[in-house]
Amino acid sequence: MRLVHKLLFLAIFLTLANYTQGQEISKHNILSTIGTAAKWNSVNNNLFTSSNPTALFKEHSFLIDKSTGRSRFEGKTNTNQNIVLLFNYKSKTVDKSYSNGKLVENKTTVPQQEIIDLLFEDTKLLFLPMLIISSSSNNITVHTGKIVNTEKLVELRFKNIYNLNKQPLNGSIYLNSKGEIKEYHLEQQIFQVSESKDIGDGIFLSTLFSSKNSDHRNIKFNTVAAFTDIENDKLTTF
């Protein structure tokens, strides 16, 4: 009877060990693909541009300081209005608004809240891998994935990963054996990931997302970069 108990304990131990090892391998794969949380946290300033049309804008860009929350938005509306908005995404307060190069006081002239919401939507996709890596490992589990085009993918499932708006995100990302992210499953949306960029210091972020839902939309970030320092007036003046 003791032998049976020992064998059962050994089987449980090996199962847990293999599970833990699998989780660490998958996390290592992500780290090797997009960098490390320490590097990500050491780079405060991020710039990204997008030519994806939205309900309001033909194209847009954001420059943000993750340490202070200060942000700069530049975009062209569907009516060819050039907008610059200086704001803080952490406090959700607006500093200055410009329309076609002129300072405007009327809040209705510039869609301020829509721009702040757009930042949270953009970074929810663009920053997701680093949001996962920066979170507690208790919120991440490894699962048997699937085979896509003869390539085996591992599922990394996450819960209560917080975005820049401090809202919890739940879903999965799928990686191949090289640690390359191939799919996002996020908020009932499925995106195929087909491009990534090194934004500096060995940090890789996914930049091209193709929706596998009924809308079949593509989301592409044309320019993605990270800086340790920038000119302070970029976030305070036109």
Side-chain angles (χ1 to χ4, degrees):
M1 197 65 166
R2 289 182 178 178
L3 178 60
V4 172
H5 286 165
K6 288 182 179 179
L7 291 174
L8 180 60
F9 175 80
L10 180 60
I12 294 173
F13 175 81
L14 291 175
T15 299
L16 292 173
N18 288 335
Y19 173 81
T20 303
Q21 183 182 27
Q23 183 169 352
E24 290 305 316
I25 290 172
S26 292
K27 291 183 70 174
H28 173 75
N29 286 341
I30 298 176
L31 289 171
S32 66
T33 303
I34 61 175
T36 67
K39 287 183 177 181
W40 172 251
N41 293 330
S42 70
V43 180
N44 287 324
N45 304 291
N46 294 95
L47 167 70
F48 56 91
T49 66
S50 173
S51 57
N52 304 308
T54 68
L56 293 175
F57 298 100
K58 294 180 180 179
E59 57 191 36
H60 65 274
S61 68
F62 283 102
L63 174 65
I64 68 171
D65 182 338
K66 299 202 305 292
S67 63
T68 64
R70 284 186 171 181
S71 307
R72 179 188 183 94
F73 168 88
E74 295 185 23
K76 177 176 285 189
T77 69
N78 294 323
T79 57
N80 293 319
Q81 180 185 12
N82 292 308
I83 300 294
V84 173
L85 185 70
L86 305 176
F87 65 99
N88 189 301
Y89 75 79
K90 292 187 177 183
S91 63
K92 299 183 178 65
T93 56
V94 172
D95 184 14
K96 298 174 183 176
S97 302
Y98 299 87
S99 176
N100 294 326
K102 296 181 179 180
L103 181 67
V104 294
E105 301 294 341
N106 189 343
K107 293 183 178 181
T108 61
T109 304
V110 175
Q112 299 177 357
Q113 187 58 53
E114 289 85 349
I115 290 172
I116 296 174
D117 291 341
L118 182 58
L119 172 65
F120 296 141
E121 283 297 309
D122 280 353
T123 53
K124 181 173 65 178
L125 285 178
L126 185 61
F127 291 174
L128 180 61
M130 290 313 307
L131 297 176
I132 294 173
I133 287 300
S134 301
S135 69
S136 168
S137 60
N138 294 331
N139 296 337
I140 303 169
T141 54
V142 180
H143 300 265
T144 302
K146 57 185 178 180
I147 297 177
V148 177
N149 297 326
T150 71
E151 187 175 42
K152 183 177 180 181
L153 304 180
V154 174
E155 179 188 9
L156 196 67
R157 197 174 298 171
F158 57 89
K159 63 179 181 179
N160 295 329
I161 302 297
Y162 290 94
N163 63 5
L164 294 190
N165 195 26
K166 301 301 181 183
Q167 297 295 316
L169 301 175
N170 301 290
S172 301
I173 58 176
Y174 286 81
L175 311 93
N176 63 14
S177 59
K178 298 178 182 178
E180 298 169 337
I181 299 173
K182 294 296 183 179
E183 279 188 12
Y184 278 17
H185 290 225
L186 183 63
E187 296 179 342
Q188 300 181 342
Q189 288 279 320
I190 300 176
F191 293 97
Q192 179 180 343
V193 179
S194 52
E195 288 184 13
S196 62
K197 291 183 179 180
D198 185 343
I199 67 170
D201 205 16
I203 301 172
F204 284 81
L205 294 178
S206 303
T207 55
L208 178 58
F209 306 88
S210 302
S211 174
K212 299 179 72 174
N213 294 66
S214 57
D215 54 3
H216 299 296
R217 63 192 175 110
N218 291 332
I219 300 174
K220 181 175 176 62
F221 297 98
N222 307 73
T223 301
V224 184
F227 311 95
T228 53
D229 295 296
I230 59 171
E231 297 177 16
N232 189 55
D233 59 1
K234 286 287 186 182
L235 299 174
T236 57
T237 62
F238 180 78

